[in-house]
Structures are given as structure tokens and as C-alpha cells.
Amino acid sequence: MTRSELFSQIQQKSSFLCVGLDPDIQKIPSHLQSEADPIFAFCREIIEETADYAVAYKPNIAFFEALGARGWETLARVEELIPKDIFTIADAKRGDIGNTSKLYAKAFFETMDFDSITVAPYMGEDSVTPFLEFENKWVILLALTSNKGSMDFQLIQDSNGKPLYQSVLERSQKWGTPENTMYVVGATRGELIAEVRKAAPEHFFLVPGVGAQGGSLSEVAKYGMNSTCGLLVNSSRGIIYASNGKDFAKAARREAKKLQVEMKLLLEEYL
């Protein structure tokens, strides 16, 4: 999917919602446990009920690969369920030496045909550029995450007072462009989103942390939106686990719609 196609979807749906698919076998509704493939059944209903409001889906690969070979089969089936006009993100957080990265890229971009993959950039250019060799595919680099341990390294300053995440942003923009590179920027630090936007004015940001983690959607838009929106705001637990009963998919739809309604107002305000 190209940048213009993604922005077109945002405009058509008045939404920049990314639904995170984190299907924990211990948390999905009990009535699904009798299904031949409970994880697939869960994801299918979530996708069917939220596709009207989502412009992206982000399967977290860990929840699938933890199930072994069967989990990989389920992941492939789930990816095929997602409508082709919706952006797909393999949340795999890969990042290794060149030859290995080439095979990771082949796995997710060719074998499974995801539009994008999350990548840890801390092994440097040769661990990232193999992913950028695929036409109309995207690399989403970890820049400023919202987890507690992110402060261990990302905010460390060099002798000039520049935090490490800023160096990552500056250097990585020489590897790719706003047409094939995005950044993960956590929602729980609104004022820092503004700093990342200054460093990367044209790029899309994948923003986790809204919903269950307490991030503010209005602050994300205030500090992070650009002329083509430039945001994919992810909600996982807040949507997919809105209910643990037989109404779980309808509850997910309600939560997705709530976010879409707020996003529509923010798009009207800032674009």
C-alpha cells in the first residue's frame, strides 16, 4: 500500500484507527475454546465487526508464534481475512544482520504479504535496509516507545544533550523516506510526540498506548498530526477485550466506533 492509498483510506473512513490483534488464548471468550481454531475464530469476528472503522490491523506475532507451527498457520489465515484496502502491520519487532533481515522481510512481505513490519533499529543500517528493498512495503522503526523500560536507553543523552531516540530518527531518515518508513511513538508522552514530529515532519507514526495504557487521543493528534494525518493510532486490549462474553465482537465494534467518532472530529479540527 502506498502513502497516498493509506491517506485515502483515512479520508474515506474519517479514521486513523489501527486495531491490534493480540489474541491471548487465556483471555479469549470461553465459548470459543470449542472451536477447531479458537484464535482464528476470535480474530475473524473482531475483524468482521471493526473493519468499518479501522484503516489498519496489527497482529502481534508473539501471540501466534507461541502456538508453534499451528500458530503460524493461523496467522496466515488471519492475514488473508483482512480486507485488501486495509493496511496490515506484522508487529514482529525484527532486527538482525543483513542476511537474516532479508529472510525476515521475505517471510512477512512475500510469504504472508503484509504491508509493513515493525523493526528494532539498534543494530544499525544493515539490519534495516533489507526490509526497504521491497516495493510498496513499509518498515516501522521503534523510535520512542511507551513501555516502562524505554527510559533505560531511549532517553540517554550524548555529550551534546541529544537523546538516543533523536539520533535514531536522524540517522534512519537517510535509509528510507516518508514513502516507506514509519516510526513507533508511544501515546503516553504527549509532549515528546511533538519533539519526534519536529524531527520527522512528514513520516507516519504508529502510536500505541491509547486506551488500556492511558494515552490521550486528543494529545496525540495535537502534537503528532501533520497535513496527511501522519498517524495510525493503535488500540488493542481496549477493543478486542471490551467483553469476554458472547457479545465480545459487538462490544469491540462499539469501542472501535467510539474511537472513530473522536478521530473524525480531530481530523476535521486539524486537517
Side-chain angles (χ1 to χ4, degrees), residues 87-266:
F87 192 72
T88 54
I89 302 168
D91 190 6
K93 298 182 178 70
R94 297 303 196 251
D96 205 338
I97 59 173
N99 287 340
T100 309
S101 285
K102 279 185 179 180
L103 293 176
Y104 282 141
K106 182 178 176 64
F108 289 100
F109 290 159
E110 289 187 352
T111 304
M112 284 184 282
D113 198 28
F114 278 93
D115 293 309
S116 65
I117 184 172
T118 55
V119 174
Y122 288 92
M123 284 185 70
E125 181 178 5
D126 62 326
S127 70
V128 174
T129 51
F131 294 97
L132 296 168
E133 294 172 0
F134 290 77
E135 186 176 0
N136 292 334
K137 301 294 187 179
W138 294 77
V139 172
I140 307 178
L141 292 175
L142 304 180
L144 186 63
T145 59
S146 56
N147 61 301
K148 180 180 178 181
S150 64
M151 298 182 69
D152 291 346
F153 300 116
Q154 294 170 27
L155 298 182
I156 291 176
Q157 297 182 357
D158 64 16
S159 58
N160 295 316
K162 182 188 295 182
L164 179 58
Y165 80 87
Q166 287 278 5
S167 296
V168 170
L169 287 168
E170 290 178 9
R171 182 66 64 89
S172 62
Q173 287 182 66
K174 298 176 182 178
W175 308 337
T177 73
E179 302 293 328
N180 64 5
T181 309
M182 301 186 188
Y183 294 102
V184 176
V185 184
T188 54
R189 297 175 184 156
E191 71 287 352
L192 289 180
I193 295 175
E195 295 300 315
V196 180
R197 180 52 79 200
K198 287 180 186 176
E202 302 299 325
H203 289 73
F204 264 85
F205 297 165
L206 173 62
V207 185
V210 167
Q213 295 182 50
S216 164
L217 181 57
S218 60
E219 279 203 354
V220 169
K222 175 182 177 181
Y223 291 116
M225 196 171 285
N226 63 18
S227 62
T228 56
C229 183
L231 298 170
L232 294 175
V233 170
N234 182 78
S235 178
S236 299
R237 287 172 289 169
I239 290 177
I240 67 174
Y241 297 128
S243 169
N244 63 1
K246 291 186 177 181
D247 67 337
F248 76 96
K250 296 295 184 185
R253 182 179 179 86
R254 288 194 297 270
E255 293 305 312
K257 183 176 174 60
K258 285 180 187 178
L259 284 171
Q260 184 272 332
V261 168
E262 187 176 353
M263 288 174 174
K264 183 177 188 293
L265 296 174
L266 291 168

